[in-house]
Amino acid sequence: MKIEQIYTGCLAQGAYCIESEGEAAIIDPLREVQSYINKAESDHAKIKFVFETHFHADFVSGHVDLAEKTGAKIVFGPHADTTFESYSGKDGEIFEIGKVKIKLLHTPGHTMESSTYLLYDEDGKEHAIFSGDTLFIGDVGRPDLAIKSDLTKEDLAGYLFDSLRSKIMTLPDDVIVYPAHGAGSACGKNMSKETWDTLGHQKEVNYALRADMTREEFIKEVTSGILPAPQYFAQNAIMNKSGYDSIDEVMAKGNVALDVETFEAMANHEGALVLDTRSKTDFVESHIPNSIFIGIDGSFAPWVGALITDLKQAIVFVADEGREEEVLTRLSRVGYDNTLGYLQGGIEAWKQAGKETDSIESITAEELEQRMVTESMTVMDARKPGEYASEHVDGALSFPLDFINEHMDELNKDEKYYVHCASGYRSVIASSILKSRGFHNIADVAGGFKAIQETGIKKSDYVCPTTLK
């Protein structure tokens, strides 16, 4: 038996490959599936099953493509109706892979079709669970994503409590927990940076598994403090339920080098959004006017999903040479399939063609401190509400990047904003969006709050984030 966790940090997502005696199963694959096929081939194994723990909602799964390319059977839990060929398994149903077995445990709560897969090793011993969003390391899945007219988040939380107590916590303590997501995912609120753990340890440290917790206490705790879900979650869930274009077609359509004139025409006449994926430093120094920065070396796909509200939005992009295919792949992971190409030669080609460029004023934390002595200024904090609540610059405006589109009207174009986040990635994204909407009185604080903490700038009293409700 061979188990491999394929963890994608930028998405905070875990996919899994299980192989035994020439047969393999993939659990919760990413959109691009060739790596799983290559892995199976190197193990001389045939992919027999693609197990889906739920309709995901925070990225587009590769289940349809993988099944078409390999002939594997797509397996969901009970009540998972799809428009493509799939198998809706029964609670307790056993699937054989070589000499090991996987048992489907229906664990509704995060969503109603949510299921956990229990792996038995060659000796018939419970070895691991692939828990999807039913159980994370340090947390459980949020119960508010699949609310329907007849189900509230409290109802779903109640289902989750029952699933955990009856199907998960009754398993042996040495069972390994392999979740679908880790820290950074918006599917939970207190997820650990660890990507696996034993069930016994989770029973000791995970607040949601506290032995003496009542059903009412559980519902109250898991439904409190949940931030609004990123807008693309629901759209990705629909794609996972209804199918999508082949990843090969998406790549062929978008992996097109565009000369400067064609690139500009697509932005000006086709309504394509110009997405700059280079480093924050390069973008601040020089970029195409009205372009949006979301750097590839960060939580790229989740921020694209959170900030570009239309999955069908036409996109042209600027990338560092050699990283164009990576950009396309990561866009497709969250369902942005309408990419039309990239700027051949990058920003240098744009400059050489004599085209206009723009920049963002960047100051250090020390400069910010000095200006505070002589200026009456507005410091804009682009971090999440919890980060702000933990500690912030005295008097700073909390303006989380997550909700920038919803709160743009609250700003004044005549006012100057000094924008910061934790380390400088989100603040450059925020600054680029503000500039594209006509806010040109912007200064980015390089290094973010981490750098500000090294200055004498007055800050609120520190509150440990884990104690915040």
Side-chain angles (χ1 to χ4, degrees):
M1 178 179 70
K2 180 178 178 183
I3 303 171
E4 187 169 354
Q5 182 185 58
I6 305 141
Y7 198 80
T8 305
C10 60
L11 273 183
Q13 191 270 346
Y16 299 90
C17 180
I18 301 159
E19 189 275 331
S20 174
E21 298 293 312
E23 293 186 334
I26 308 296
I27 300 177
D28 291 342
L30 284 181
R31 179 83 181 267
E32 71 277 17
V33 298
Q34 191 57 46
S35 62
Y36 308 119
I37 296 170
N38 295 343
K39 194 177 297 298
E41 287 178 350
S42 67
D43 290 337
H44 305 290
K46 176 177 173 56
I47 298 176
K48 189 176 180 181
F49 296 108
V50 181
F51 292 110
E52 295 286 287
T53 56
H54 64 305
F55 285 125
H56 298 295
D58 50 350
F59 64 94
V60 181
S61 174
H63 53 315
V64 177
D65 262 346
L66 188 55
E68 289 182 354
K69 289 173 182 282
T70 64
K73 178 185 283 187
I74 301 171
V75 179
F76 280 96
H79 315 304
D81 296 326
T82 64
T83 58
F84 48 84
E85 185 175 350
S86 67
Y87 179 76
S88 186
K90 302 175 185 63
D91 184 32
E93 188 167 354
I94 298 288
F95 301 85
E96 295 188 358
I97 303 155
K99 290 186 176 180
V100 303
K101 295 180 180 178
I102 285 184
K103 184 177 185 179
L104 191 156
L105 304 177
H106 185 213
T107 49
H110 174 63
T111 61
M112 287 308 289
E113 84 286 356
S114 279
S115 294
T116 295
Y117 295 97
L118 170 62
L119 173 66
Y120 291 88
D121 65 18
E122 296 92 334
D123 298 322
K125 182 181 181 305
E126 296 104 325
H127 181 82
I129 54 172
F130 303 90
S131 55
D133 286 23
T134 296
L135 176 62
F136 296 131
I137 307 305
D139 204 352
V140 291
R142 56 192 296 172
D144 63 321
L145 299 181
I147 295 173
K148 298 178 181 176
S149 58
D150 58 340
L151 284 175
T152 66
K153 63 183 179 183
E154 287 77 16
D155 293 332
L156 286 162
Y159 277 109
L160 185 56
F161 177 84
D162 295 338
S163 294
L164 290 165
R165 264 60 188 176
S166 64
K167 303 282 183 65
I168 304 297
M169 293 175 69
T170 52
L171 296 171
D173 285 353
D174 61 352
V175 163
I176 301 169
V177 180
Y178 289 118
H181 302 295
S185 166
C187 274
K189 58 184 180 182
N190 191 35
M191 297 154 77
S192 168
K193 65 179 181 180
E194 306 301 327
T195 61
W196 62 274
D197 195 5
T198 63
L199 180 59
H201 189 243
Q202 281 303 294
K203 289 177 183 175
E204 294 174 10
V205 301
N206 189 324
Y207 76 95
L209 302 189
R210 180 162 55 82
D212 61 351
M213 194 176 212
T214 67
R215 199 168 192 272
E216 289 68 29
E217 288 173 335
F218 179 89
I219 292 171
K220 184 178 180 181
E221 287 210 34
V222 300
T223 57
S224 65
I226 302 175
L227 293 175
Q231 57 86 26
Y232 70 103
F233 271 26
Q235 300 177 73
N236 279 188
I238 291 171
M239 292 177 72
N240 288 331
K241 194 172 183 178
S242 305
Y244 43 75
D245 293 336
S246 163
I247 186 71
D248 297 336
E249 295 175 20
V250 173
M251 297 299 288
K253 178 184 172 187
N255 197 8
V256 177
L258 303 171
D259 61 46
V260 171
E261 298 303 328
T262 306
F263 186 90
E264 185 176 36
M266 285 191 169
N268 291 339
H269 306 304
E270 301 294 331
L273 181 148
V274 178
L275 181 63
D276 197 319
T277 66
R278 298 174 299 149
S279 74
K280 61 189 179 187
T281 305
D282 288 344
F283 182 86
V284 164
E285 185 176 304
S286 180
H287 58 265
I288 297 171
N290 296 321
S291 58
I292 301 299
F293 165 79
I294 304 179
I296 195 71
D297 291 323
S299 295
F300 174 75
W303 282 120
V304 168
L307 298 171
I308 301 176
T309 55
D310 182 4
L311 250 63
K312 299 184 185 306
Q313 169 69 53
I315 295 172
V316 290
F317 66 89
V318 180
D320 290 323
E321 186 176 359
R323 302 192 73 177
E324 297 86 358
E325 189 170 323
E326 180 185 358
V327 171
L328 275 170
T329 300
R330 291 170 69 174
L331 285 169
S332 70
R333 285 175 179 170
V334 282
Y336 291 80
D337 293 352
N338 194 20
T339 303
L340 305 177
Y342 60 88
L343 179 60
Q344 186 173 30
I347 195 70
E348 290 307 315
W350 183 265
K351 292 177 183 175
Q352 289 171 12
K355 301 294 183 182
E356 182 185 357
T357 61
D358 202 350
S359 62
I360 295 174
E361 180 184 1
S362 178
I363 66 169
T364 65
E366 290 75 20
E367 287 179 84
L368 179 71
E369 184 177 19
Q370 291 166 11
R371 292 190 191 189
M372 279 181 162
V373 176
T374 57
E375 283 184 42
S376 174
M377 64 167 59
T378 300
V379 175
M380 178 185 288
D381 189 332
R383 298 177 300 163
K384 292 181 182 295
E387 295 173 276
Y388 178 88
S390 175
E391 189 180 18
H392 58 264
V393 172
D394 200 30
L397 171 67
S398 176
F399 205 78
L401 175 61
D402 305 63
F403 313 115
I404 191 169
N405 289 314
E406 291 84 349
H407 297 284
M408 192 72 71
D409 292 345
E410 299 169 11
L411 302 181
N412 181 354
K413 289 182 178 176
D414 295 327
E415 190 171 348
K416 181 157 187 170
Y417 296 101
Y418 290 84
V419 187
H420 80 81
C421 59
S423 61
Y425 178 74
R426 286 174 286 177
S427 64
V428 177
I429 297 175
S431 297
S432 73
I433 293 173
L434 289 169
K435 291 207 73 168
S436 73
R437 306 285 179 82
F439 293 85
H440 295 291
N441 228 350
I442 299 291
D444 180 71
V445 183
F449 196 70
K450 186 176 180 182
I452 290 173
Q453 286 177 308
E454 303 299 318
T455 69
I457 293 174
K458 189 176 179 183
K459 296 172 275 292
S460 66
D461 292 335
Y462 175 75
V463 179
C464 179
T466 58
T467 66
L468 293 170
K469 295 290 185 182

